[in-house]
Amino acid sequence: MRSEAGRWLLGAAAAGAGAVWLWRHQDEVMTRRPLNEWTFTHMNLLLPTEGVRRGGDVFPLPRRPRPLEVTYGFEGRERSLAELHARTHTTSFVVLHGGEIVHESYPGYFAGDDVRFQLFSMTKSVTSMLIGIALDEEAIKDVTEPVTVYCRGLAGSAFDEVTIEQLLDMGSGVGDLEDYTVRDSLINRFAMAATGGGSLHEVVSSAERSTKAGTQFNYSTIDTQVLGWVLESATGRSLAQYATERLWSRIGAEHDAYYWLTRGHPRTAIAGGSLNATARDLARLGLLMSRGGDLNGQRILPEEWVTRSRGRGVPHLEVGALGPSGYPYYGYSNKWWTLGGERRPFTAVGIHGQYLYVDPDADVVIVKTSAWPTADDTSRDAESVTALRAVADHLQADQR
């Protein structure tokens, strides 16, 4: 009997230890393949959420499917789109040309045209769109204003005197290199606070200055979180409410989107990473950017804000000049990654392989969601961007 009781106690202790380990490592476990394919399509079952509501008529995306016989050169050989999807774990792939769906596929296990995907840092580009709208409405006066005008709780922190523009360009000079592989990095402390019930404000306000503001690109989710707080303070709306009223209800979305919220109170959206939406509705956002902020004859976003998002000649933000915090084929502006070249395409990018690729000159928009096994992957990112460029090139040439 004692032996049985001892075994039961040991088993209970092991189970308890396992539960504790799982709780402490939940983010790591839930983002591993293949479980991440489920995670990235079911965030609303894992965390609190706030809805971003659609409104009115659906903006039509006519279907004109055609074979996409595209190859792209990578690592010394020509590859097909089927290889791209297999090698980069694509979960959805939607291609618009001339505002029409010319290709749509959902290779993911849980994917579909009504499934809302976790967008990670593509959320940053949407936050930029909302900032542009708030500036146009004069809820925010000017990008040169210090963020502490709106976020007084950050007075005395490293964000003191940092401007809205510097946050838009990842130039606050606050925080370390955003590295998910370093357990105690600022971004991992931020993520743990978001999903584990901690205080985001404590993490953000404790961040230290690493360089002079406005002089260097340093990719930072923290910068975008502060921008989200600026937006909420300036508008008197939560991020989800403002996105509903000024963006989602106006683009003719098919489905509601949502932000997942922090577990801790006050619950808040992650302005740099918690939006979830369908691939088609993301394509509508891309079409809005491709058409200069106008959709279906309705001005939603200032045209000059879209132009600014394609790059504006700031030397340390030009393609190839971002330094250790960016890849050599990217530039950056206004929370969008710029790609240079004659057509100057630009793209929203999220960890684990999320893309909203916009090439206005080719009239092409491409949505690619993915479930990479790691947050960042230099090779998979380079391959994805190469393939998306090849698709846009092919469609532009086909139009001729």
Side-chain angles (χ1 to χ4, degrees), residues 351-373:
I351 58 170
H352 294 281
Q354 325 309 320
Y355 299 88
L356 174 55
Y357 184 95
V358 183
D359 188 335
D361 293 1
D363 205 3
V364 170
V365 172
I366 307 171
V367 175
K368 180 186 188 305
T369 63
S370 316
W372 293 354

Side-chain angles (χ1 to χ4, degrees), residues 275-353:
L275 184 62
N276 289 247
T278 68
R280 284 185 191 166
D281 286 337
L282 283 175
R284 289 179 171 90
L285 282 185
L287 196 60
L288 174 65
M289 293 297 288
S290 181
R291 295 184 173 175
D294 184 277
L295 198 61
N296 201 26
Q298 179 182 203
R299 171 60 57 187
I300 298 174
L301 192 62
E303 185 174 11
E304 58 270 21
W305 196 253
V306 177
T307 300
R308 176 190 175 98
S309 301
R310 298 180 72 181
R312 60 188 196 283
V314 178
H316 70 273
L317 298 177
E318 289 291 274
V319 173
L322 299 182
S325 198
Y327 297 146
Y329 43 86
Y330 283 134
Y332 202 79
S333 185
N334 233 33
K335 300 293 180 195
W336 291 82
W337 297 91
T338 61
L339 291 159
E342 183 179 349
R343 295 204 306 264
R344 297 173 60 226
F346 56 114
T347 185
V349 178
I351 58 170
H352 294 281

Side-chain angles (χ1 to χ4, degrees), residues 43 47-49 118 194-195 258-262 268-270 273-274 276:
M43 294 298 292
L47 288 160
T49 65
Q118 159 67 5
T195 60
Y258 69 86
Y259 290 92
W260 58 260
L261 309 177
T262 56
T268 183
I270 306 302
S274 71
N276 289 247

Side-chain angles (χ1 to χ4, degrees), residues 95-177:
V95 181
L96 302 188
H97 188 216
E100 299 177 340
I101 298 176
V102 297
H103 178 86
E104 183 176 28
S105 61
Y106 295 93
Y109 291 117
F110 305 97
D113 59 19
D114 61 347
V115 171
R116 294 174 293 187
F117 297 89
Q118 159 67 5
L119 307 182
F120 294 106
S121 289
M122 286 205 292
T123 308
K124 294 177 172 68
S125 302
V126 177
T127 298
S128 168
M129 296 169 79
L130 296 175
I131 291 285
I133 294 169
L135 281 160
D136 191 53
E137 295 179 338
E138 298 186 349
I140 296 173
K141 302 306 179 189
D142 197 274
V143 293
T144 61
E145 287 186 293
V147 298
T148 48
V149 169
Y150 301 93
C151 300
R152 295 180 181 176
L154 292 177
S157 75
F159 285 96
D160 222 345
E161 300 186 7
V162 171
T163 68
I164 293 169
E165 182 171 62
Q166 288 162 350
L167 293 181
L168 285 163
D169 290 336
M170 299 292 188
S172 71
V174 178
D176 52 18
L177 186 68

Side-chain angles (χ1 to χ4, degrees), residues 190-243:
F190 179 85
M192 285 300 297
T195 60
S199 167
L200 292 189
H201 189 271
E202 285 182 11
V203 174
V204 172
S205 59
S206 70
E208 298 180 357
R209 174 158 300 285
S210 56
T211 189
K212 184 180 177 181
T215 62
Q216 184 175 312
F217 176 83
N218 182 45
Y219 186 81
S220 171
T221 297
I222 309 300
D223 279 10
T224 316
Q225 187 62 32
V226 175
L227 262 187
W229 289 339
V230 166
L231 191 65
E232 291 181 332
S233 174
T235 64
R237 300 281 193 274
S238 72
L239 207 57
Q241 288 170 338
Y242 196 68

